Amino acid sequence: MNHLPLAAALLALAPFTAQAQQAGEPGTPYANMNHLAPIGVRNDRYLTVPDAAKGPPIDPAKGYRTEDLGGGTYMVTDNGYSSMFVVYETGVVVVDAPPSYGAHLLAAIREVTDRPITHLIYSHSHADHIAATPLLGKVPVIIAQEETKRLLIEARDPNRPLPTLTFKERYTLKAGSKTIQLSYPGYGHSPGNILIHVPSAKVLMVIDTVFPGWMPWRRLALAQDITGLFRIMHEIEGMDFDKLVGGHVERWGTKADVIQQLEFMNDLKAAAATALKTTGIGEELDAADKTNPWAVYDNYIDRVVVQCMNTLEPKWRDRLGGYDAFIWDQCFAMEQSLRID
């Protein structure tokens, strides 16, 4: 079995059944409870990752893999994180410096060229994507969207040096014969998160937004604006690229991966919307708790999410890597967005 069966899940909850229960302790599962382990309950074994989600293996002696994306553009990855660099006539433009393989990033570049790093582009402000910047040495120009600089000023993190050049909406970097187009589509994952497009190579890099072959990270990759995330996904779908560097998971993506993620997100939205409309408020709730508004809505939201889960599972559980790891999170995030955004 790839997951904790319902009988085992109920057995695990046995100490908390009504006879032993005191106020404030967990009780029995909801009616129609989805069998995948909910948040806070351990999985004995997660679902097998589909082959379509997998990428080439990493040489453990190196700790990273470099892939030639064409046109002087390269991806570096450890199959958990990914970044990019572009080689031009007299130098190298690096996009992001993730700490997970930061100690090897310069070596990865040196496998391709000994030209100096002249520019570093920050995709956004988050430390897990740029906090290995000092390991690249002195970089003359660091480029970011102005919201990223604002957040980095607040962070005061020596591992994330402030950008030396910022822009508001669009910036075109000319590096020798290479052109890299930077654009800010607005809030989605986080303020300042930009699209990095290398038109000549037909490569697009957008971080923490598209997860090729995989379930997005929890709560739609912790998107600060889920409505904005949908809008940005449609913008990405309309762009001209063949290969996409997403910042995570095992492989680069394609337009088909963008379309598949949009399909999942639309199904998630529809499932959560239907569950919100068809779930009764106050059902399966102890009468003594009905004057407690937090209890009433905790109970309601839980049952909405269970219905959302049950709707999505037949179509998606075997199509996306890590489906069972974060599907509870996705349903919680989507119902909240539909109620308040």
Side-chain angles (χ1 to χ4, degrees):
M1 297 292 288
N2 290 324
H3 52 78
L4 191 66
L6 180 58
L10 295 176
L11 182 63
L13 290 169
F16 305 112
T17 55
Q19 188 173 10
Q21 182 180 347
Q22 296 179 5
E25 290 184 347
T28 56
Y30 293 103
N32 303 313
M33 182 70 175
N34 188 275
H35 65 104
L36 294 176
I39 297 169
V41 174
R42 189 191 69 180
N43 271 294
D44 278 353
R45 175 71 166 84
Y46 288 90
L47 295 173
T48 301
V49 174
D51 288 342
K54 297 177 182 177
I58 299 295
D59 180 350
K62 292 176 63 176
Y64 66 92
R65 182 179 80 250
T66 305
E67 285 199 44
D68 185 348
L69 302 182
T73 303
Y74 298 82
M75 180 180 78
V76 184
T77 182
D78 61 3
N79 278 2
Y81 281 83
S82 57
S83 60
M84 187 172 77
F85 65 92
V86 180
V87 180
Y88 68 99
E89 288 82 352
T90 59
V92 180
V93 179
V94 178
V95 190
D96 281 357
S100 69
Y101 55 84
H104 306 301
L105 182 53
L106 194 55
I109 296 168
R110 292 295 166 248
E111 288 179 355
V112 174
T113 181
D114 61 359
R115 296 169 191 171
I117 298 172
T118 57
H119 302 77
L120 172 62
I121 299 169
Y122 287 161
S123 64
H124 65 308
S125 67
H126 288 168
D128 63 324
H129 289 279
I130 65 171
T133 292
L135 298 179
L136 296 175
K138 179 65 175 177
V139 180
V141 181
I142 300 177
I143 305 171
Q145 202 274 341
E146 59 186 25
E147 285 286 285
T148 294
K149 182 173 183 177
R150 175 182 65 81
L151 292 169
L152 292 177
I153 290 171
E154 293 178 0
R156 302 177 65 183
D157 181 357
N159 291 318
R160 290 177 281 170
L162 296 181
T164 58
L165 188 159
T166 62
F167 66 96
K168 184 174 183 179
E169 295 180 353
R170 296 183 181 276
Y171 181 77
T172 299
L173 173 61
K174 297 281 190 179
S177 62
K178 305 296 183 185
T179 297
I180 303 174
Q181 296 174 342
L182 312 180
S183 61
Y184 180 46
Y187 278 27
H189 170 62
S190 72
N193 197 30
I194 61 174
L195 310 180
I196 302 106
H197 189 209
V198 187
S200 61
K202 300 194 78 171
V203 171
L204 175 67
M205 179 171 171
V206 54
I207 302 302
D208 291 337
T209 303
V210 180
F211 297 78
W214 287 76
M215 169 69 69
W217 181 258
R218 61 185 300 262
R219 309 234 168 179
L220 293 169
L222 303 178
Q224 295 188 25
D225 185 339
I226 290 176
T227 301
L229 178 64
F230 275 82
R231 175 180 46 75
I232 291 166
M233 284 292 298
H234 284 292
E235 181 173 338
I236 293 168
E237 183 185 24
M239 295 181 69
D240 183 20
F241 68 91
D242 291 332
K243 298 175 182 177
L244 182 144
V245 178
H248 287 286
V249 303
E250 297 186 15
R251 62 174 177 82
W252 47 264
T254 66
K255 186 68 67 75
D257 291 306
V258 176
I259 292 169
Q260 176 174 264
Q261 185 169 310
L262 261 173
E263 182 184 358
F264 167 73
M265 289 170 60
N266 285 326
D267 285 356
L268 172 67
K269 185 176 182 179
T274 298
L276 284 164
K277 291 177 182 177
T278 59
T279 301
I281 296 176
E283 297 173 3
E284 297 187 56
L285 185 67
D286 191 296
D289 291 322
K290 291 190 176 181
T291 59
N292 176 346
W294 265 217
V296 169
Y297 275 89
D298 177 55
N299 173 280
Y300 170 65
I301 290 165
D302 283 351
R303 289 182 293 111
V304 166
V305 168
V306 168
Q307 182 176 328
C308 174
M309 291 272 297
N310 291 340
T311 301
L312 292 170
E313 182 169 341
K315 179 176 178 179
W316 289 104
R317 61 168 274 160
D318 296 320
R319 289 180 64 184
L320 298 174
Y323 173 86
D324 50 338
F326 294 133
I327 186 58
W328 285 94
D329 278 293
Q330 315 304 15
C331 283
F332 275 115
M334 195 69 248
E335 64 79 20
Q336 175 174 287
S337 177
L338 288 172
R339 285 188 299 109
I340 67 175
D341 284 343

